[in-house]
Amino acid sequence: MFINAAAPRDPNLEKFRMEVREFCQTEIGPEMRRILDLGQHLPKDMHDGWLKALGRKGWLTGHWAKEHGGLGWTPEESAIFRDETDGAAAPWLAPFGVTMVGPVIYTFGTPEQKARHLPGIRKNDVWWCQGYSEPGSGSDLASLKTRAVRDGDDYVVNGQKIWTTLAHWADWIFCLVRTDPDAPKKQQGISFLLIDMKTPGITVRPLITLDLGHHLNEVFFEDVRVPAENLIGEENKGWDYAKFLLAHERVGVAEIGKFGRYLAQLRKLLGETREGGRPLSEDPGFRRRLAELEMNLSTLKAMHADALAQGTPGLISAAALKIRGSELQQAILQTMTDVLGRHGLAYQADALMAGWNGELVGPEESAGILAEHLHRRAATIYGGSSEIQRNIIAKGALGL
Amino acid sequence: MFINAAAPRDPNLEKFRMEVREFCQTEIGPEMRRILDLGQHLPKDMHDGWLKALGRKGWLTGHWAKEHGGLGWTPEESAIFRDETDGAAAPWLAPFGVTMVGPVIYTFGTPEQKARHLPGIRKNDVWWCQGYSEPGSGSDLASLKTRAVRDGDDYVVNGQKIWTTLAHWADWIFCLVRTDPDAPKKQQGISFLLIDMKTPGITVRPLITLDLGHHLNEVFFEDVRVPAENLIGEENKGWDYAKFLLAHERVGVAEIGKFGRYLAQLRKLLGETREGGRPLSEDPGFRRRLAELEMNLSTLKAMHADALAQGTPGLISAAALKIRGSELQQAILQTMTDVLGRHGLAYQADALMAGWNGELVGPEESAGILAEHLHRRAATIYGGSSEIQRNIIAKGALGL
Amino acid sequence: MPAFSSEERQLLHDSATEYFADRYGPERALALTRDDGPDGFGRAEWKSYAELGWLGLMLPEDAGGSEGGLTEAAILFAAAGAELAAEPLIPCLVLGAGAVTGLGTEAQQAALEGVAEGEKILGFLHYEPGSGFARDHVETIARPTADGYALTGDKAFSAGAHAADLLVVSARIGGPDGPVGLFLVPGDAGGLHRVPAPALDGRRGAAATLDGVAVSADALLGGTTDDRLAAIDRLLDRAALAVCADMLGAMTKASEITTDYLKTREQFGQKLSSFQVLQHRLVDMRICCEESRAAIHAALTAQDENAPDAAIAAWRAKAETARAARFVGGQGVQLHGGMGMTDDLGIGHYYKRLSVNEALFGDAAWHIDRLAAREDARAAQPAAPEMAGA
Amino acid sequence: MPAFSSEERQLLHDSATEYFADRYGPERALALTRDDGPDGFGRAEWKSYAELGWLGLMLPEDAGGSEGGLTEAAILFAAAGAELAAEPLIPCLVLGAGAVTGLGTEAQQAALEGVAEGEKILGFLHYEPGSGFARDHVETIARPTADGYALTGDKAFSAGAHAADLLVVSARIGGPDGPVGLFLVPGDAGGLHRVPAPALDGRRGAAATLDGVAVSADALLGGTTDDRLAAIDRLLDRAALAVCADMLGAMTKASEITTDYLKTREQFGQKLSSFQVLQHRLVDMRICCEESRAAIHAALTAQDENAPDAAIAAWRAKAETARAARFVGGQGVQLHGGMGMTDDLGIGHYYKRLSVNEALFGDAAWHIDRLAAREDARAAQPAAPEMAGA
């Protein structure tokens, strides 16, 4: 259909929205609030405290079915939860446990695996990270080389992962490893392993990014012995589980709830930055850009709502949301950077350490905004680059 | 070098510029002036009269070497001539004789061919058209199928050409034809033939374009007998001559001199069109667009001047000029169209006939501008599309 | 509460799509718009629309209508746009009939008689040579006379106005500073001079000169001397949104045509559709359609629910859709290569349709300026509450 | 008449390119900018520049210079930008020394002593926290005292200011409505408080507070109380153009690095450079470089010939180059994929250099606004003469 039929609105959802909003306001104390507002690096204990608070409410895994210990949220409820927590600039809902490995475990895991791992994910007692990418693989994930060789009751793992977000905090990692190097297709012969990060032979090396922050890591495996009971599903079928999981990631990546917050921050910055003595919020060019960014966000939200209304979003919707969402994210951050250009683009990365009290140059939000700008240059790269997304639509939806 | 060394300026050139400018002002009478200003279709006799006037001055082929009857202009002089005639919106300098087949004939032709054809080109006594493209060939020119079979002293030509500009006015056509269908590469086995349009078996069919104008044609050849003396150079070597000629076309296509005139027209239109009772020339958005278009034009001119200063422009320069020139041309015409949107975009194609005196809706230049807009959608397609130009740079200059 | 259920909307979409796909398309559009007659569209088609109940979609029950919302009408317009239908559906149904339905007294509702049946076509004359896209600039004067008004002024080119039996015309009541009213003016009124012309895409319309056109007192819609600028603004927002639906149909179709063309056309021994650059271009065209679809859907819902942000949603939809249309139309021609430049192929006609639609009732830049002007108002407010509410 | 012949320019380019390619590059830049010391650039490098005659390129002969134009300096800046040189060449040579050369009395030219030899670094403090990119907004006051002036006010972050031995500082003479003058202020003057910080790309600078900084009467450049806003505007235009040269070097190099990377990196069993979409992206990066090169060349020539449109040419060059830089820098990172995000690879440092350069002395949008403001003036004139002259 050219024109969508309108989805009816559920008034109960507004109540839930208010509940989440209030929770965010109450649970994020002033100290954490200030760190978040400045875009500083949040210490692990604070981040953990927040996630555990969500875990106690059951909200961390609200989108899980009740049989797995979730609350069985509808897609709309999940969206509201994301929207509100993002909009409150709440700490990042690290997806590795709750939307990645958790669903894989409850879908494909053994009863023992479920019993062992799901409670820790629901309560955030265990931090997870994702071991997919490798130095040579880039967008071609299936070309991964990390080897796992069966030896008695163990797999012996050798190889290297890269771009491993939060590996330096993680207790466990879920990995794609090659168990059959002779399989006829590279997508075959891959297995899905859960690995305790404390296992001997694992080395985590920080990977510093453009913003000079430490979010990512390289993870090296040298004769790491992993009990075979940590294999998910069948050996050599790991690619199927990975595909299941990638589909999950693609919709989540848009982070739309954050964008409204960015725009509020931009508006504030425009009001507080002067050009020729007048606030930039009076500048016609910036007003027009702000109006366009708001328009783009409103369209993105409409696309998102329409995609949710479809149940499982189609291939085009998911890819289009990823492409446009990441573009918009970068456009807003670029606009903020253009405002900060008025202050000479000083970048005091030290100011991102909570409690820093050096002498500031420019607005106090500068460092946080510029760090986010640099960090989100990756938004059009990670989770399937914009180019890969277009390939996906071309092949999958247009039959090219 | 990152920064070009400045080319010295020749003060004599300004004298020549003034001479051309004055000539245009004198020779273009009020009746022709009005037709040109309105963008109406110029009748053939007027067009011919102008070209003959240039021919008498020797200017039509001023860029030819003196040995071929030209004036031996430098590239700078040629550019000034183009610039001034384009800037005066003088009638189109149809390139088919003077910059296409003429140079091919004086470079590769026999003494008899030169004696027979060059004078008519220099004086515009003979109108030429170009028979290259075919219905199935598109950007892949070398895939042409029109056959020429040697039969005694003649070639017998069968096939079809398309996009043949001015074929309905032309006395002669120069054609690429396939003389050896069994050649190992499609670029081989092609020959370059000169054909008298009055030869029996030739049919010209108008090809109406989006602007509803008749500029283009299809030309059908049915057992057309062409004397073998009209073959240029060697049989089966036509592709070499075509490549020689294509290099010529690519630089000429930018028509930069015209763009300044467009911008003056846009400025006039903005001054005369009101929104909310105020002239659009006061609108900040249009002022900014105008400033950007002028900036782009100034950059394009600088690129052009730098390319000329190099002597033969490099591959990148030529392709970049074509890409950016055609983009800018479309951008200016689109901006004018956006102004005309204020008048409801009425399009009275009949008003393009010189002498039309129906009742006008909207500004009198509307039809001319909109026709040009539609017509120049082809600017990014003809002479090697923007996509093809990028392929050329990728392969030829970046080694990809 | 929509008058139509989702299922009814689906049925409407299906029947409209089927009708236009079977009985319309670029060739039919060309035949109609280039016809020497005065209409430039299909009277027979118009009759069919009536028979199918489409002309009454948004009309009140009393006028033989089914009281649908703009969403229902948009479903029809999108299907019509997809096949380049040349009939003046939007000027008649959204503007002309919309004005009467919304502002007319009970007695004036009689003007709607015959619309649903296809016997009467309404038109709308508001923009003027000096107005540009501005909606509050009216120089036409309605001078009070003994038994009504005499209208004098110039109206700019307006799609469908050439064929309207009854025109809704804006004019300032009394003099240059008077309130703006909307008047019912018969197409054959004395002193009304229409100059018909085709638009860039061939659809016809007319500019008009009114030279003391006499109308009776009850020709003034609503029968009062209230200023109608706000109502006109709302009507034009609805018309702009209706045009978005037409564009959505046209650009979706243009994308499909182009995709299909590249799948069949070969160059350098390969299908054009195998070139990655062209594939991604097609993808971007498709994404543009999806974005527009979402923005239009949101704006239609806001309109039909009478939401407080309905106007802003319409502006955004028009700006997004007009931009998308520029890209899709332009690339449609570009990817067809030389063939795209010919009058014979459909794609060029989609390009022209989209170009006209872009401009109708305000283009993208103009709508963004409106949104930015709203920023002006917000900029005056302190930023902090925004933060908290975001 | 340029002081340097084309051959001399070529030699300058060759030696500068060779120097920076051999002895600089991202790694060296990183080592210098992240050094714990107060400089964040290379004192040894600065000494080499002096030895190679580069610091005196634009200086008068009396100051040991070779009296070259901005074009010669730009050749140097481009080579320096290509290898991410961290030294404050532009603030020192174009702004600091440029101000003294252009405005200083014969006696004040003594301030240039030691610059060519690399013994003295000049800085420039003009922008303020309330000025943004506007060049005429000065709140700093130079209050006349018995034997000179006392300067009080805040200056915004300025590249190179942290290490300047002598600063050229703008202030209003007498009071808030006084004319703007430029003052020579020693880096160690009492009451001058500098807050050093790195810019986004690591190059350092400082914001400053002046709290009654006492200078003698002859610290006022030119020794008069003339308003220097126009002169400052010209200086900043030249600095903006100098930054364009730096950007041109950096973006040309960023394009090359990216092209080379795609030629080696494989994915899906193919070299990345074989994907048409990526090929065209590289081509567009290259075209951006060519466009900038042409615009910069035209502006430099206009500057060195003192052409009437020299200012406009500089604005255009900055706007075009800043836009090009945004595209080239952004795509450079994008095409490197995840690798482009790492601090280890060079491309990210080019991205950051280009981002800072974009903003320096006014970004693209700000310069286009200046050009549009010029349109305002033109719009007031009748259009017809334009037509004839076009």
Side-chain angles (χ1 to χ4, degrees):
Chain A
M1 270 185 92
F2 298 114
I3 306 290
N4 300 334
R9 294 180 187 191
D10 181 350
N12 286 324
L13 291 179
E14 284 311 296
K15 250 184 65 187
F16 176 57
R17 182 184 290 279
M18 288 306 135
E19 194 188 347
V20 178
R21 191 172 294 185
E22 209 183 296
F23 181 84
C24 293
Q25 275 166 9
T26 316
E27 286 291 320
I28 299 176
E31 193 192 351
M32 187 152 85
R33 182 73 274 156
R34 179 150 174 87
I35 290 173
L36 295 169
D37 283 349
L38 292 179
Q40 289 177 326
H41 302 306
L42 190 67
K44 186 179 177 186
D45 58 339
M46 277 194 191
H47 202 149
D48 193 56
W50 165 254
L51 294 178
K52 285 203 164 72
L54 291 177
R56 283 191 296 273
K57 294 281 283 186
W59 286 357
L60 211 48
T61 49
H63 56 296
W64 290 13
K66 288 184 178 159
E67 55 176 309
H68 306 307
L71 302 175
W73 282 342
T74 62
E76 286 79 9
E77 283 169 315
S78 298
I80 284 174
F81 176 71
R82 293 289 307 233
D83 216 40
E84 286 299 321
T85 49
D86 284 349
W92 186 44
L93 289 167
F96 309 110
V98 294
T99 61
M100 293 183 170
V101 76
V104 168
I105 292 172
Y106 68 59
T107 309
F108 306 104
T110 61
E112 293 72 27
Q113 287 170 335
K114 294 185 200 178
R116 176 168 184 190
H117 292 292
L118 296 184
I121 292 172
R122 286 195 300 260
K123 302 282 178 209
N124 207 58
D125 287 335
V126 176
W127 285 75
W128 284 85
C129 65
Q130 180 190 39
Y132 273 25
S133 295
E134 299 190 3
S137 67
S139 295
D140 184 10
L141 193 54
S143 68
L144 61 92
K145 293 195 170 62
T146 296
R147 280 284 275 134
V149 179
R150 184 71 184 242
D151 180 31
D153 285 344
D154 294 338
Y155 287 97
V156 180
V157 179
N158 277 286
Q160 184 196 345
K161 296 292 176 179
I162 196 170
W163 316 128
T164 321
T165 304
L166 290 191
H168 52 305
W169 286 8
D171 304 300
W172 281 75
I173 185 169
F174 57 96
C175 279
L176 291 179
V177 293
R178 188 159 301 282
T179 35
D180 179 4
D182 304 320
K185 286 184 63 184
K186 61 188 173 182
Q187 285 82 2
Q188 296 163 350
I190 290 173
S191 295
F192 195 110
L193 275 186
L194 312 181
I195 307 179
D196 188 330
M197 288 292 280
K198 288 182 296 295
T199 319
I202 297 183
T203 314
V204 175
R205 196 151 70 191
L207 214 160
I208 303 303
T209 40
L210 297 189
D211 57 329
L212 311 183
H214 175 201
H215 320 281
L216 308 180
N217 303 274
E218 295 176 284
V219 181
F220 298 86
F221 298 86
E222 210 185 323
D223 293 331
V224 175
R225 299 196 75 87
V226 180
E229 66 195 44
N230 289 351
L231 175 75
I232 291 286
E234 288 180 53
E235 195 178 87
N236 296 332
K237 295 274 193 225
W239 190 249
D240 295 341
Y241 316 138
K243 274 198 300 185
F244 164 86
L245 196 159
L246 277 174
H248 272 249
E249 186 184 14
R250 213 166 272 136
V251 189
V253 100
E255 298 184 301
I256 297 176
K258 250 181 148 161
F259 301 178
R261 178 127 199 128
Y262 285 162
L263 285 177
Q265 205 171 14
L266 168 58
R267 197 182 292 276
K268 177 168 178 285
L269 209 55
L270 286 170
E272 289 170 2
T273 301
R274 284 168 297 147
E275 186 146 274
R278 317 269 312 158
L280 268 187
S281 52
E282 296 177 8
D283 178 82
F286 274 107
R287 279 202 305 252
R288 193 170 293 115
R289 284 171 76 178
L290 191 55
E292 288 190 54
L293 294 171
E294 284 183 332
M295 172 177 88
N296 294 336
L297 176 55
S298 146
T299 300
L300 194 67
K301 282 181 172 174
M303 280 173 80
H304 195 237
D306 285 356
L308 285 177
Q310 290 167 34
T312 336
L315 202 58
I316 301 182
S317 299
L321 277 169
K322 169 65 169 67
I323 292 171
R324 291 300 205 233
S326 52
E327 283 172 356
L328 178 58
Q329 188 169 24
Q330 293 179 346
I332 303 175
L333 289 164
Q334 179 66 62
T335 306
M336 287 200 257
T337 303
D338 290 347
V339 177
L340 292 177
R342 270 68 184 176
H343 301 284
L345 284 184
Y347 180 55
Q348 296 169 292
D350 292 344
L352 295 173
M353 299 303 157
W356 181 79
N357 59 359
E359 211 169 346
L360 262 175
V361 169
E364 62 173 1
E365 308 94 330
S366 294
I369 292 168
L370 293 175
E372 184 77 355
H373 169 139
L374 293 171
H375 193 51
R376 296 303 170 182
R377 291 309 306 177
T380 46
I381 297 171
Y382 54 55
S385 73
S386 298
E387 291 79 10
I388 294 292
Q389 299 291 343
R390 287 185 169 89
N391 285 346
I392 290 173
I393 300 184
K395 297 206 170 23
L398 304 185
L400 299 173
Chain B
M1 268 183 92
F2 298 115
I3 306 291
N4 300 334
R9 294 179 186 190
D10 182 350
N12 285 324
L13 291 179
E14 283 311 296
K15 251 184 66 187
F16 176 58
R17 182 183 291 278
M18 288 306 136
E19 194 189 348
V20 178
R21 190 172 295 183
E22 208 184 297
F23 182 83
C24 292
Q25 274 165 11
T26 317
E27 286 291 319
I28 299 175
E31 192 190 352
M32 187 151 86
R33 181 74 273 155
R34 181 152 174 84
I35 290 172
L36 295 169
D37 284 348
L38 292 179
Q40 289 177 326
H41 302 306
L42 190 68
K44 185 179 179 186
D45 58 341
M46 277 193 191
H47 203 150
D48 193 55
W50 165 255
L51 293 178
K52 284 203 164 69
L54 290 178
R56 283 191 297 275
K57 294 280 284 186
W59 285 356
L60 211 48
T61 49
H63 57 296
W64 289 15
K66 286 185 179 159
E67 56 176 309
H68 305 307
L71 302 175
W73 282 343
T74 62
E76 287 80 8
E77 283 169 315
S78 297
I80 284 173
F81 176 72
R82 293 290 306 233
D83 215 41
E84 287 299 321
T85 49
D86 283 349
W92 186 43
L93 289 168
F96 308 110
V98 295
T99 61
M100 292 182 169
V101 76
V104 169
I105 291 173
Y106 68 59
T107 308
F108 305 105
T110 61
E112 293 73 26
Q113 287 170 336
K114 294 185 200 179
R116 178 168 182 189
H117 293 293
L118 296 184
I121 292 172
R122 287 195 299 262
K123 303 280 179 212
N124 207 57
D125 287 336
V126 177
W127 284 75
W128 283 84
C129 64
Q130 179 190 39
Y132 273 25
S133 294
E134 299 189 4
S137 66
S139 294
D140 184 10
L141 192 54
S143 68
L144 61 91
K145 294 195 169 61
T146 295
R147 280 284 276 135
V149 179
R150 184 72 184 243
D151 181 29
D153 286 344
D154 293 340
Y155 286 98
V156 180
V157 179
N158 278 286
Q160 184 196 343
K161 296 293 177 180
I162 196 170
W163 317 127
T164 322
T165 304
L166 290 190
H168 52 304
W169 286 7
D171 304 300
W172 280 74
I173 184 169
F174 57 95
C175 278
L176 291 180
V177 292
R178 188 159 301 281
T179 36
D180 179 3
D182 303 321
K185 287 183 63 183
K186 62 187 175 183
Q187 284 82 2
Q188 296 162 353
I190 290 174
S191 295
F192 196 110
L193 275 186
L194 312 181
I195 308 179
D196 189 330
M197 289 292 280
K198 288 182 296 293
T199 321
I202 297 183
T203 314
V204 175
R205 196 151 71 190
L207 213 159
I208 303 303
T209 40
L210 297 188
D211 57 326
L212 311 183
H214 174 203
H215 320 281
L216 307 180
N217 302 275
E218 295 176 284
V219 182
F220 298 86
F221 298 86
E222 210 185 323
D223 293 332
V224 175
R225 300 196 75 88
V226 180
E229 65 195 44
N230 289 350
L231 175 74
I232 290 287
E234 289 179 54
E235 195 177 86
N236 296 333
K237 295 274 193 227
W239 189 249
D240 295 341
Y241 317 138
K243 275 198 300 184
F244 164 86
L245 196 158
L246 276 176
H248 273 247
E249 186 184 13
R250 215 164 271 138
V251 189
V253 102
E255 297 184 303
I256 297 176
K258 251 179 145 162
F259 300 178
R261 179 135 197 120
Y262 285 161
L263 284 178
Q265 206 171 12
L266 169 58
R267 196 182 292 279
K268 177 168 178 285
L269 208 56
L270 286 171
E272 289 170 2
T273 300
R274 284 168 297 145
E275 187 146 273
R278 316 269 311 159
L280 267 187
S281 52
E282 295 177 9
D283 178 82
F286 274 108
R287 280 202 306 252
R288 194 169 292 116
R289 285 172 75 177
L290 191 54
E292 287 190 54
L293 293 170
E294 284 183 332
M295 173 177 87
N296 295 337
L297 176 54
S298 148
T299 299
L300 193 67
K301 281 183 172 172
M303 280 173 81
H304 195 237
D306 285 356
L308 285 177
Q310 290 167 34
T312 335
L315 201 58
I316 300 181
S317 298
L321 278 169
K322 169 66 168 67
I323 291 170
R324 290 299 205 235
S326 52
E327 282 173 357
L328 178 57
Q329 188 170 26
Q330 292 179 347
I332 303 175
L333 290 163
Q334 179 65 63
T335 306
M336 287 199 258
T337 303
D338 290 346
V339 177
L340 293 176
R342 270 68 185 176
H343 300 282
L345 284 184
Y347 181 54
Q348 296 169 293
D350 293 344
L352 295 173
M353 299 302 159
W356 180 79
N357 59 358
E359 210 168 347
L360 263 175
V361 169
E364 63 174 0
E365 307 94 329
S366 294
I369 292 168
L370 293 175
E372 184 78 355
H373 169 137
L374 293 171
H375 192 50
R376 296 302 171 183
R377 291 311 304 179
T380 46
I381 298 170
Y382 55 55
S385 74
S386 298
E387 290 81 9
I388 295 290
Q389 300 290 343
R390 287 186 170 87
N391 285 347
I392 290 172
I393 300 185
K395 297 208 172 19
L398 303 186
L400 299 172
Chain C
M1 177 63 69
F4 283 56
S5 67
S6 294
E7 292 68 30
E8 286 169 316
R9 287 176 175 178
Q10 182 71 50
L11 280 173
L12 172 60
H13 165 81
D14 293 346
S15 64
T17 304
E18 194 187 322
Y19 174 93
F20 286 106
D22 284 358
R23 297 175 49 186
Y24 227 109
E27 270 184 55
R28 177 80 189 131
L30 237 62
L32 288 168
T33 53
R34 296 198 183 155
D35 185 88
D36 282 338
D39 290 337
F41 63 84
R43 290 282 171 180
E45 277 75 6
W46 196 259
K47 207 71 199 159
S48 309
Y49 302 162
E51 282 156 17
L52 289 158
W54 297 344
L55 300 181
L57 265 180
M58 286 194 298
L59 290 180
E61 230 181 292
D62 287 350
S66 39
E67 304 208 325
L70 194 58
T71 304
E72 282 73 33
I75 289 170
L76 172 67
F77 300 148
E83 300 297 337
L84 304 181
E87 290 67 40
L89 287 165
I90 294 173
C92 176
L93 303 183
V94 181
L95 289 172
V100 175
T101 309
L103 300 173
T105 62
E106 209 165 318
Q108 285 169 331
Q109 301 285 333
L112 298 174
E113 261 173 43
V115 171
E117 295 75 21
E119 282 152 18
K120 185 199 277 177
I121 295 180
L122 302 189
F124 197 72
L125 288 174
H126 170 59
Y127 291 110
E128 302 192 353
S131 66
F133 291 141
R135 296 170 176 182
D136 57 357
H137 184 85
V138 176
E139 295 183 42
T140 300
I141 306 290
R143 190 173 40 79
T145 59
D147 49 357
Y149 301 90
L151 277 59
T152 299
D154 291 328
K155 292 291 177 183
F157 180 78
S158 169
H162 67 299
D165 302 297
L166 184 66
L167 289 147
V168 177
V169 182
S170 63
R172 292 200 176 269
I173 304 166
D177 300 320
V180 173
L182 287 173
F183 294 85
L184 293 170
V185 177
D188 56 4
L192 172 66
H193 173 62
R194 285 183 281 190
V195 187
L200 187 69
D201 64 347
R203 279 183 290 174
R204 291 194 213 171
T209 305
L210 295 95
D211 187 8
V213 174
V215 294
S216 60
D218 63 1
L220 175 55
L221 275 183
T224 73
T225 54
D226 289 344
D227 189 279
R228 297 301 185 188
L229 280 177
I232 291 170
D233 199 23
R234 277 195 301 275
L235 274 172
L236 291 171
D237 279 348
R238 290 169 67 81
L241 194 45
V243 168
C244 290
D246 187 294
M247 274 197 271
L248 177 61
M251 72 173 125
T252 304
K253 196 65 194 265
S255 295
E256 287 170 11
I257 290 175
T258 307
T259 305
D260 291 345
Y261 182 79
L262 297 198
K263 283 183 185 174
T264 54
R265 178 95 173 167
E266 283 197 19
Q267 233 158 64
F268 304 104
Q270 290 180 256
K271 292 261 185 291
L272 282 181
S273 60
S274 69
F275 289 96
Q276 197 192 20
V277 160
L278 308 187
Q279 291 181 348
H280 282 208
R281 207 78 61 80
L282 290 172
V283 168
D284 285 333
M285 291 165 72
R286 180 63 182 262
I287 291 176
C288 279
C289 294
E290 292 308 315
E291 279 188 308
S292 299
R293 189 189 321 283
I296 294 167
H297 177 220
L300 286 170
T301 305
Q303 200 65 235
D304 284 339
E305 291 184 350
N306 231 332
D309 64 346
I312 287 163
W315 305 346
R316 287 178 173 160
K318 185 73 207 292
E320 287 277 20
T321 309
R323 282 196 178 171
R326 179 165 295 186
F327 179 79
V328 172
Q331 290 305 319
V333 171
Q334 179 72 21
L335 297 189
H336 275 77
M339 293 307 295
M341 288 302 298
T342 61
D343 189 52
D344 284 346
L345 246 69
I347 188 68
H349 301 286
Y350 283 93
Y351 177 80
K352 293 196 270 189
R353 174 89 161 202
L354 291 169
S355 294
V356 170
N357 282 347
E358 259 194 66
L360 272 177
F361 314 117
D363 63 12
W366 185 80
H367 273 98
I368 287 168
D369 278 342
R370 287 196 97 176
L371 290 164
R374 190 176 145 268
E375 281 300 324
D376 291 4
R378 297 181 65 162
Q381 296 163 13
E386 290 284 337
M387 287 289 287
Chain D
M1 174 63 71
F4 283 56
S5 67
S6 293
E7 291 70 29
E8 287 170 317
R9 287 178 175 177
Q10 182 70 50
L11 280 174
L12 173 59
H13 166 80
D14 293 347
S15 64
T17 305
E18 195 187 321
Y19 175 91
F20 286 106
D22 285 357
R23 298 176 46 187
Y24 227 109
E27 270 185 55
R28 176 82 188 129
L30 237 62
L32 289 168
T33 54
R34 297 198 184 157
D35 186 86
D36 283 337
D39 291 335
F41 63 84
R43 289 282 171 180
E45 277 75 6
W46 195 259
K47 207 69 202 164
S48 310
Y49 302 163
E51 282 156 18
L52 288 158
W54 296 344
L55 299 182
L57 266 180
M58 286 194 299
L59 289 180
E61 230 181 294
D62 287 349
S66 40
E67 303 208 328
L70 194 57
T71 304
E72 282 73 33
I75 289 170
L76 172 67
F77 300 148
E83 301 297 337
L84 304 182
E87 290 66 40
L89 288 165
I90 294 173
C92 176
L93 303 182
V94 180
L95 290 172
V100 175
T101 309
L103 300 174
T105 61
E106 209 165 317
Q108 285 169 331
Q109 301 286 331
L112 299 173
E113 261 173 43
V115 171
E117 295 76 21
E119 284 152 17
K120 186 198 277 175
I121 294 180
L122 303 188
F124 198 73
L125 287 173
H126 170 61
Y127 292 109
E128 302 191 353
S131 66
F133 290 141
R135 296 171 176 181
D136 57 358
H137 183 86
V138 177
E139 295 184 42
T140 299
I141 305 291
R143 189 173 41 80
T145 58
D147 50 355
Y149 301 90
L151 276 61
T152 299
D154 292 328
K155 292 291 177 181
F157 180 78
S158 168
H162 67 299
D165 303 296
L166 184 67
L167 289 147
V168 177
V169 182
S170 63
R172 292 199 177 269
I173 303 167
D177 300 321
V180 173
L182 287 173
F183 294 84
L184 294 171
V185 178
D188 56 3
L192 172 65
H193 173 62
R194 286 183 279 189
V195 186
L200 188 69
D201 64 347
R203 280 183 290 174
R204 291 194 211 170
T209 305
L210 296 94
D211 185 9
V213 174
V215 295
S216 60
D218 63 0
L220 175 56
L221 275 182
T224 74
T225 54
D226 289 344
D227 189 279
R228 297 299 186 188
L229 279 177
I232 291 170
D233 198 22
R234 277 196 300 275
L235 274 172
L236 292 170
D237 279 349
R238 290 170 66 82
L241 194 44
V243 168
C244 289
D246 187 294
M247 275 197 272
L248 178 60
M251 74 173 121
T252 304
K253 197 63 195 270
S255 295
E256 288 170 11
I257 290 174
T258 308
T259 305
D260 291 345
Y261 182 77
L262 297 198
K263 283 184 185 172
T264 54
R265 177 96 172 165
E266 284 197 17
Q267 233 157 65
F268 304 104
Q270 288 182 257
K271 292 260 183 294
L272 282 180
S273 60
S274 69
F275 289 96
Q276 196 191 21
V277 160
L278 307 187
Q279 291 180 347
H280 282 207
R281 207 76 62 78
L282 290 172
V283 167
D284 286 333
M285 290 165 74
R286 180 65 181 261
I287 291 176
C288 279
C289 294
E290 293 307 315
E291 280 188 309
S292 298
R293 191 190 318 284
I296 294 168
H297 177 219
L300 285 170
T301 304
Q303 200 63 235
D304 285 339
E305 291 183 350
N306 232 330
D309 63 347
I312 288 162
W315 304 347
R316 287 178 173 158
K318 185 74 207 293
E320 286 277 22
T321 308
R323 282 196 178 172
R326 181 165 295 186
F327 179 78
V328 172
Q331 290 305 318
V333 171
Q334 180 73 22
L335 297 189
H336 274 77
M339 294 305 296
M341 288 301 298
T342 61
D343 189 53
D344 284 346
L345 247 69
I347 189 67
H349 301 286
Y350 283 93
Y351 177 80
K352 293 197 268 189
R353 173 91 161 202
L354 291 169
S355 294
V356 170
N357 283 346
E358 260 195 63
L360 272 176
F361 313 118
D363 64 13
W366 184 80
H367 274 98
I368 286 166
D369 277 343
R370 287 196 97 176
L371 291 164
R374 190 175 143 267
E375 281 299 326
D376 289 4
R378 297 182 64 164
Q381 296 163 13
E386 289 285 336
M387 286 290 287

